[in-house]
Amino acid sequence: MPAVDADAEMSRGPAPAPAPAAPASPSQTPGEGAVSVLWSFAKCVAALLPVYLAGYYGFSVSLVLLGLMIYIGYKHSRLEKEMRLRSSMYLLENEKEFTTQKLFRARRDLPPWVNFPDVEKVEWLNKILQQAWPFVGQYLEKLLVETIAPAIRASSIHLQTLSFTKVNLGEKALKLVGVKAHTENDKRQVMLDLYLSYAGDVEINVEIKKYFCKAGVKGVQLHGKLRVILEPLIGDLPLVGAITMFFIRRPKLDINWTGLTNLLDIPGLNAMSDTMIMDAIASHLVLPNRLTIPLVTNLHVAQLRSPLPRGVVRIHLLEAEDLTAKDTVIKGLIDGKSDPYAVLRVGTQIFTSHHVDSNLNPQWREMYEVIVHEVPGQELEVEVFDKDPDQDDFLGRAKIDLDIVKKARIVDDWFNLRDAPSGSVHLRLEWLSLLSSADRLSEAIQKNQNLTAKTTDPPSAAILAVYMDQAYELPMRKGNKDPSPMVQISIQDTTKESKTCYGTNSPVWEDAFTFFIQDPRKQDIDIQVKDDDRALSLGSLTIPLSRLLESHDLTLDQWFQLENSGSASRLYAKIVLRILWLSDDASPTTPSPPPSGSGSGLGPGEITSNQSSTGPGGLAKPQPSRPQNTTPDPEFATEGVLRIHLVEAQNLIAKDNFMGGMVKGKSDPYVKIRVAGITFRSHTIKENLNPVWNELYEVILTQLPGQEIQFELFDKDIDQDDFLGRFKLNLRDIISAQFIDTWYTLNDVKSGRVHLVMEWLSRVNDLPRLEQVLQYQSQQTYQNKVVPSAALLFVYVERAHGLPLKKNGKEPKAGVEITLKNVSYKSKICERSTSPRWDEAFHFLVRDPRDETLTVKLSHSWGQTLGSLTVLLREVLSEPDLLLDQWFHLDGALPESQILLRVTLKVLDTQLALCRSTLGAGGDGGVETFVPKWDPSHLDLKHRGGFSIVTDNANSVCQVKLTIGYSAEENRLFIIVHSCRNLAACSKDGADPYVSFVLLPDKKATTKRRTATKKRDLNPEFNERFDFDFALEESMQKKLDLSVKHSGSFMSREKELIGKVLLDLDQIDLKACVTQWYDLVAEST
């Protein structure tokens, strides 16, 4: 609530009772009275001394008057600031009483249905803040005294005597006026708007003893809206990957200075000081700047700190009408005109139009383009002024929520000017989407050539986002000194600079820049790395934007070799190009006639909904055509499929005992598998401690970090099922390995293990592979009668057109139901329209796309049918890239009724089918022997009861099972130690084995690893993963020296080394993530 309102209310309401005056002490001594008289005399002399000195030295009396004016202005400014602070503090203390009184006075003016559902009160959180505020003050005092003060003293010899003499946050805590949550935009994030209000009695004093200097702050006001984004949401604690926060607009700041900093309260300096502080806050916390705090590892923080913009708004400032006349004659007796101009603001982007002389109905016809980072939230603010020689007069303002523009695509309307007697402004606002394909670049450039405006800059066809990350091994300065590098990025006449990293030749900037591009086919990026004096060049780089047009997703994310620099000097940057596209089906809202009056018509941001064929200014224009293809989100069709084959278990615990456990029984085991909120349950096997399930499960997953798969085993009982063990697997490890076939030890129980075969299925558009996959899967049988999926179907429902009306003549509330076999999904229900838009995506597992049919049904609120559609998947198989993207006519509807869909198939390619098909071909002698990525020899069939198998050397040779691979996404080498078998006994109890290894030629501690020790086990299972931050080229130069050892006591004579193996990683396909058994060699051989 503004402080002005509080002042006005205080003047009408009761003021707090003044404190009683302290009575004069009757015991005051004559000495104390004399001191008081002398002090009053000294103040009078100090006040008259400047006048005397001015006369004595012959100075002009104007200097005395100037000093007097500055002093009076200082006192007036300080008094105003103290009054504002007192008013805000009084308002916060008596908020309930003040609000209640004001509401009772105005209650008769409010209808009974008025409520405010958007912003929620969080009084419980304010109580927590108030209770914890003294402890926040203690932490701040410790931070300032123990951390910040020593850092300041070390930064300069002039500040070596600096100290904080007082740090007190006061009793007034930060207050959350309200919280608004946005959850409708992205299901993978939570967006909160926190309305902050702080009017505190904070007191911080600083002293520099060397210069007898004291300064400080006594009282601060801060009011603003802080946006907090929790993303990405993950399936593991703490459930949120990172916290990003920023102010959408600059908060309001007011500081009451003390000591030497009292000078900052002098008129002119006070506004300058507060502006400088706000600039420092804005450089870190006001859009487009963000503060990102990661909560989990392996997170792309750069994408959260500097995300791509939401879009671009093209603003056409057309005209205004009925503005207020400010240039009056004879003190207003004769009305004159105004010389209006407009100032447009979106965040930190500010534009000023030219002024029109002597006109209350000016026409500007100017065009501007602004980058929108956050919707909802950001607003377009238009202020109109009258140009004057001294101080420009205010003519009114209008605010438009850019979320309205995003939804409507084109807004062409008049907006009333607020805070003015009359006036309105005509704007045309166009929302330009960002396309990651260059297919429509030529069309966008052709459209821009038809636009005319009075601005010098032509319309843009694209935007360029440059994320300057870091540089490596820049050349040194003279004298072999480290440089202080900064980067200059230029495109045509626009140049932007990064921050400076002092004293390093491998700087890390982490700065983001955006540029408007007129024609990326003809423009280049010029990057100059310079020392902080801007004179010494450390390297340069020129990248034609045409190179981006040829790259995947219009993105370059890599190291670049610098020119005119050192041989090893490189620069890492991510450069993203996005084409600006105005949707073909966007229809402008009708330009309503200029409203009369000052405030009774349409409010700011209100728009009409009728369509019109006239453009700005009433000029006729052709009706826009509908889009021919869909524009799905970039995340569309990025999901993958995890296939889990539950094979068997061994050595489970017997839970069904008899006679109090004296007679051992069996168990009736079953398995629960939980992944991504889905639970699978196997069938129960009666009385078996070594059950064989042979069941298959498939689940569609995204590749978000932190996801886990949980396996739990239970014994089926009549009353309550008994627990038989559990274990968890990280989805990241499965995706990295692609294929895993191994045994997993059960946790939280004495014994038991489970045999799983898991595969992260590759998705391809290769139609011949479909035949091989179908042939392989037709030969597979599973106990739960599951037929493995051969493909993954993605469906994107964008919009419909020309739907029939309801029987009562009203427009329908349309919804879409999509069905494939027994699986059905429903979309949201749109508001009443014959041309609804959904923009929703769905996915299905497909057993055999040659025989299956997709059904699409449209209805009004799941009642009256509006039309239907059937799509044979074999028609999709005949399309290029297995993709259909077009308008489909609806059956059972009007002739013009259509729906715009994208249907795409991805073949699920399994390594097992590849192995079988290749081995089958090799049996005919026409193909060389194929070595698959998987090795089924580790199934350990020799341990199953009832089996007696003989292998060539499995019973005699000690072996270790390893997975060795390289993750290109994480840029690291990983080694998984799965298990060992047939180990030699080292004592009468067998062996206590563990695995240790080192990556040669380095024998440093950073490349040495070892597993946990398994007690009394000659066939131990470890399943431990070890990561190394090596480049792929560096990894291939390593040798793995691995040893399996017995953990004997220090005084024992038992041998320690069981066996070892030496592997040259250059001979292993690291990208294939090979899993296999390796023979261990005894030390004697």
Side-chain angles (χ1 to χ4, degrees), residues 191-315:
M191 186 185 302
L192 302 175
D193 286 338
L194 308 182
Y195 296 83
L196 305 180
S197 180
Y198 177 59
D201 50 350
V202 57
E203 187 173 0
I204 301 176
N205 294 331
V206 183
E207 182 179 5
I208 304 177
K209 296 180 180 179
K210 181 178 180 180
Y211 300 103
F212 304 99
C213 175
K214 295 183 178 181
V217 173
K218 188 175 183 180
V220 174
Q221 281 195 77
L222 179 68
H223 306 279
K225 181 170 73 172
L226 180 71
R227 172 157 292 180
V228 178
I229 301 178
L230 310 177
E231 66 171 340
L233 300 180
I234 58 178
D236 197 3
L237 292 177
L239 301 182
V240 177
I243 300 176
T244 302
M245 60 185 70
F246 52 86
F247 287 99
I248 294 179
R249 290 176 293 275
R250 288 189 173 216
K252 297 178 181 178
L253 178 68
D254 199 355
I255 300 176
N256 190 21
W257 302 101
T258 62
L260 185 63
T261 49
N262 268 329
L263 297 175
L264 298 178
D265 278 331
I266 295 176
L269 288 180
N270 57 353
M272 187 184 304
S273 63
D274 291 352
T275 300
M276 292 174 63
I277 295 174
M278 277 311 308
D279 287 341
I281 295 176
S283 64
H284 293 88
L285 273 177
V286 178
L287 274 181
N289 304 294
R290 303 164 184 250
L291 176 63
T292 301
I293 304 172
L295 302 181
V296 297
T297 57
N298 302 323
L299 195 67
H300 296 290
V301 181
Q303 296 180 5
L304 301 177
R305 186 182 294 121
S306 305
L308 283 175
R310 303 284 185 175
V312 171
V313 172
R314 186 172 287 159
I315 305 171

Side-chain angles (χ1 to χ4, degrees), residues 172-196:
K172 312 298 180 184
L174 175 70
K175 197 164 188 180
L176 290 177
V177 180
V179 176
K180 182 176 181 180
H182 305 273
T183 57
E184 66 279 0
N185 298 309
D186 192 341
K187 298 301 182 183
R188 292 164 299 179
Q189 66 172 208
V190 175
M191 186 185 302
L192 302 175
D193 286 338
L194 308 182
Y195 296 83
L196 305 180

Side-chain angles (χ1 to χ4, degrees), residues 410 428 447 582-588 611-614 621-627 801:
I410 298 179
R428 177 183 171 91
K447 283 184 177 182
L582 178 62
S583 181
D584 288 331
D585 68 326
S587 301
Q611 295 183 350
S612 172
S613 60
T614 59
K621 67 177 185 70
Q623 284 286 353
S625 60
R626 288 182 293 148
H801 176 73

Side-chain angles (χ1 to χ4, degrees), residues 656-700:
D656 299 335
N657 299 323
F658 302 98
M659 300 179 63
M662 296 181 64
V663 179
K664 294 292 183 180
K666 300 285 187 178
S667 289
D668 307 323
Y670 68 90
V671 181
K672 280 187 177 181
I673 305 174
R674 294 185 177 90
V675 52
I678 303 172
T679 300
F680 301 102
R681 174 172 170 165
S682 72
H683 72 281
T684 303
I685 298 181
K686 296 291 185 179
E687 298 183 357
N688 199 328
L689 300 182
N690 299 288
V692 177
W693 285 286
N694 187 30
E695 297 188 7
L696 187 74
Y697 309 99
E698 294 175 328
V699 60
I700 303 174

